[in-house]
Amino acid sequence: MLDSKDQQVYCTHTAPDYSLPWQKQRQFTSTGSAFMIGDGKLLTNAHCVEHDTQVKVKKRGDDTKYVAKVLARGVACDIALLSVESKEFWEGAEPLSFGRLPRLQDAVTVVGYPLGGDTISVTKGVVSRIEVTSYAHGSSELLGIQIDAAINPGNSGGPAFNDDGDCIGVAFQVYRSDDAENIGYVIPTTVVSHFLEDYERNGKYCGFPCLGVLLQKLENPVLRACLKVPSNEGVLVRKVEPTSDISNVVKEGDVIVSFDGVHVGCEGTVPFRSSERIAFRYLISQKFTGDSVELGIIREGEFMKVQAVLKPRVHLVPYHIEGGQPSYLIVAGLVFTPLSEPLIEEEEDSIGLSLDKMMIARND
């Protein structure tokens, strides 16, 4: 595990100024971790190279920093794909091999370059939980592995290994609270493989698709009886996004009871591995943009099957601006720029609109 497969990432960031979109904020630097995956490419976290001006990587045991290029950046899954053109960098390099999704209490080793020193750091722990997790950088919810091994600033982008030396994921975030200790998160290889296959299919990162509906659990037997659902299964469609493809086949008040033949429980969960259950969103995240799925629904007591095409969600107020700099237009002394959450964060006091209110309005 501890060889030249693990690299330290040096990034110079220049974030845009959303309040004054014709200029940028002051530069700052950060360090993170990365690892080789073969074919002249490396993996790290997207937040490690966010708003990058220059990215360099350094191998363990080497004092030379090599310029790297960001090939793809997956904001939702917090993964970035890098390449290094220098042939010298790849001499004697061997890519990591990806392992299976671990089981609870499996041992895990996190390798990286966190704060507190310049050399490589190794921390050990066990797998505490595997479930659909909130990804802070992309404001998304994907499969995540919770571990109790220490993850500190600088560990981001580093590999996590099992006892066989196989990579089981990428360290990316921690949960900090006065009421909790040693809660770190790893992006599992299933999400990493989805990102890489998406890039190989399309030559770019297209993102994870969504169903385009707001769902409600059906644990209440009285509500199930009212909706004429005969068994203890299904989730209620409370709202359908008008821009989604599913709006042509699914209506508010429908009950989704199956997804590509997999039955959906009344708690919004589906079978996972041999004896576990996981959030219904997991099945959706396994699909790719443009994939067609079959939904089993109950409408006014009648069961039917419908087809829908999955696409990424288009946010009315986006979390991130694609392309780095926000666009703007100046007319008669007035500056017009697209509304985004980073802009609201900068102008929260002056415009009197908070992100909490925006989130409530979006989820109702």
Side-chain angles (χ1 to χ4, degrees), residues 17 117 166 239 267 275 284 295 301 333 352 354:
D17 190 328
D166 295 326
K239 186 177 181 181
E267 291 186 332
S275 59
I284 303 172
L295 298 175
S354 69

Side-chain angles (χ1 to χ4, degrees), residues 65-85:
K65 296 178 182 178
Y66 299 88
V67 176
K69 178 183 178 182
V70 180
L71 298 178
R73 186 183 289 104
V75 175
C77 57
D78 201 2
I79 303 174
L81 187 65
L82 310 180
S83 68
V84 178
E85 294 184 357

Side-chain angles (χ1 to χ4, degrees), residues 127-150:
V127 175
S128 307
R129 182 182 292 158
I130 299 177
E131 65 179 2
V132 175
T133 304
S134 177
Y135 281 45
H137 180 65
S139 298
S140 56
E141 292 187 339
L142 299 169
L143 189 67
I145 303 173
Q146 179 184 320
I147 62 175
D148 65 357

